Amino acid sequence: MTEEQEAELDEQADDVEAEADEDAAEAEGLQDGDFVELEYTAYTADGDQLVDTTDPEVAEEEGVADQNQEFKPRTIVLGESHIFEGVEEAIVGSEAGDTGSVTIDAEDAFGEYDPDNVQTVSAEKIDEDDRYPGANVQVDGQQGYISTIIGGRARVDFNHPLAGEDVEYEFEVLDVVDDREQQAAGLFEMYLGLEPELWIETDEVEEEVPVEPDEDADEDEDAEPEFETEVVEKETLYLEATPQMTMNQQWMMGKQQIGQDIIDQIGVDRVIVQEVIDGMGGMGMPGMMGGMGGGMGGGDIEEALEDADVDADEIVDELEGADE
């Protein structure tokens, strides 16, 4: 091997080492799969319209603080599309306490504006209470808003209201969330807009498991599989369902998907939702028999009839006579 060839090999080795060092450097800091507590505010790039915020002061200034949501830092999982991909990419590699800003192109935000998504429809397809410009409506299964309405015809724009707008995010990574109960609470708040009471426990559960066939025994293809009961440990996330959560539309429509996502992200074996019904303080069943249920206090019916000087046999005879 000549000196020139050796020098070339050394140069190639240096390049490989440099690339490895660069990859290692890129892997430092926050990575996909990490839970982070994030504070951010997003406006359209021209600064005219608030898109989203976690800051209560910004919400107050923009007149949206009275909406049915709480403005506070949000917990997300990097790489799970809980926020625009461009924002995630800007956060990857950063550390808790870092701040930044990133502009998301319209195409990657709410899409480019498509004139073909504006259609003229009969006003009869729209509820009378929604027949005004700006109203959000659903027509033939599509969500849109009325741009103009004249007589019996309405011009409905099915583009997203922010279609065609670049969006600028300013963010701060407040903390890395390592506690799994906090992680789960953050995910539920992101999905449902509320943070339920929850906890994680390890339970011993009886479970039917298939019996492994004896290697020395003759295998019968038609034989029914055998099962035995084993006690296994299952890590369970318990969740207390409040009336507010039970009536939450997102929960009613997607509880199975939300539960599975929690299982996958948090690493528990199952989710158990507990519904608590508080007592009514001895009020009884209101409205039952004109209030009679509460007055009787659940006592013996025959005793009540005796107290009322009513002959139960006579009542039975009268009822039988009415049936005849």
Side-chain angles (χ1 to χ4, degrees):
M1 180 180 296
T2 65
E3 292 182 1
E4 184 177 344
Q5 289 174 325
E6 289 181 358
E8 186 176 350
L9 287 175
D10 289 340
E11 185 177 349
Q12 290 176 354
D14 290 340
D15 290 341
V16 171
E17 186 176 350
E19 289 179 6
D21 291 342
E22 185 177 343
D23 291 341
E26 289 178 356
E28 293 178 358
L30 294 168
Q31 299 297 314
D32 286 349
D34 288 339
F35 282 75
V36 296
E37 187 178 29
L38 192 66
E39 194 170 72
Y40 61 81
T41 293
Y43 282 94
T44 54
D46 57 17
D48 286 347
Q49 187 170 351
L50 177 69
V51 177
D52 196 6
T53 186
T54 61
D55 189 334
E57 293 184 2
V58 173
E60 185 73 33
E61 292 173 1
E62 295 292 340
V64 297
D66 58 346
Q67 292 184 359
N68 188 25
Q69 70 178 96
E70 188 175 1
F71 295 92
K72 66 177 186 178
R74 177 177 167 187
T75 297
I76 68 167
V77 186
L78 294 178
E80 294 296 326
S81 300
H82 293 159
I83 200 167
F84 287 129
E85 184 178 352
V87 182
E88 289 185 329
E89 291 174 351
I91 295 172
V92 168
S94 64
E95 304 282 352
D98 287 353
T99 60
S101 63
V102 61
T103 299
I104 310 299
D105 293 337
E107 181 181 359
D108 298 321
F110 299 99
E112 298 287 1
Y113 189 85
D114 185 357
D116 292 337
N117 283 338
V118 182
Q119 301 175 18
T120 300
V121 302
S122 169
E124 294 297 323
K125 290 188 173 184
I126 301 170
D127 190 281
E128 286 188 25
D129 293 338
D130 294 330
R131 294 177 189 174
Y132 60 89
N136 290 312
V137 295
Q138 192 171 60
V139 180
D140 298 332
Q142 285 185 284
Q143 191 71 32
Y145 63 95
I146 298 176
S147 56
T148 58
I149 183 166
I150 300 175
R153 310 293 287 175
R155 192 78 168 155
V156 181
D157 192 335
F158 293 105
N159 288 286
H160 189 282
L162 293 173
E165 296 281 0
D166 296 341
V167 179
E168 185 171 326
Y169 271 82
E170 291 188 358
F171 64 85
E172 179 180 359
V173 180
L174 298 180
D175 201 0
V176 180
V177 181
D178 293 321
D179 182 87
R180 292 197 301 158
E181 290 182 359
Q182 291 181 16
Q183 292 174 350
L187 290 178
F188 273 111
E189 185 167 22
M190 180 181 64
Y191 290 133
L192 307 179
L194 53 90
E195 187 174 326
E197 183 178 344
L198 55 83
W199 62 96
I200 296 174
E201 292 182 5
T202 300
D203 302 325
E204 289 189 347
V205 181
E206 290 187 352
E207 190 173 81
E208 294 293 315
V209 297
V211 177
E212 293 291 334
D214 190 345
E215 295 181 359
D216 298 330
D218 294 332
E219 292 188 11
D220 184 358
E221 294 182 358
D222 297 329
E224 292 289 333
E226 295 183 5
F227 293 86
E228 63 182 8
T229 302
E230 283 188 5
V231 176
V232 298
E233 288 190 345
K234 284 188 178 291
E235 198 168 31
T236 305
L237 186 146
Y238 286 94
L239 175 71
E240 186 170 315
T242 61
Q244 183 184 9
M245 176 180 171
T246 303
M247 298 303 294
N248 184 285
Q249 187 174 9
Q250 297 296 328
W251 178 247
M252 288 191 291
M253 300 295 292
K255 65 175 67 177
Q256 183 64 42
Q257 183 177 349
I258 293 172
Q260 187 60 54
D261 192 45
I262 296 294
I263 290 170
D264 294 340
Q265 296 292 342
I266 306 302
V268 294
D269 296 308
R270 58 184 185 167
V271 174
I272 293 181
V273 181
Q274 299 180 332
E275 186 173 5
V276 178
I277 300 177
D278 291 327
M280 300 177 66
M283 291 176 62
M285 294 291 288
M288 176 179 173
M289 295 177 64
M292 197 171 161
M296 292 172 64
D300 187 272
I301 294 177
E302 291 183 1
E303 291 181 4
L305 290 173
E306 290 176 2
D307 292 341
D309 195 24
V310 175
D311 190 326
D313 292 333
E314 289 182 5
I315 294 178
V316 172
D317 291 341
E318 289 180 8
L319 291 174
E320 288 177 350
D323 291 339
E324 294 174 358

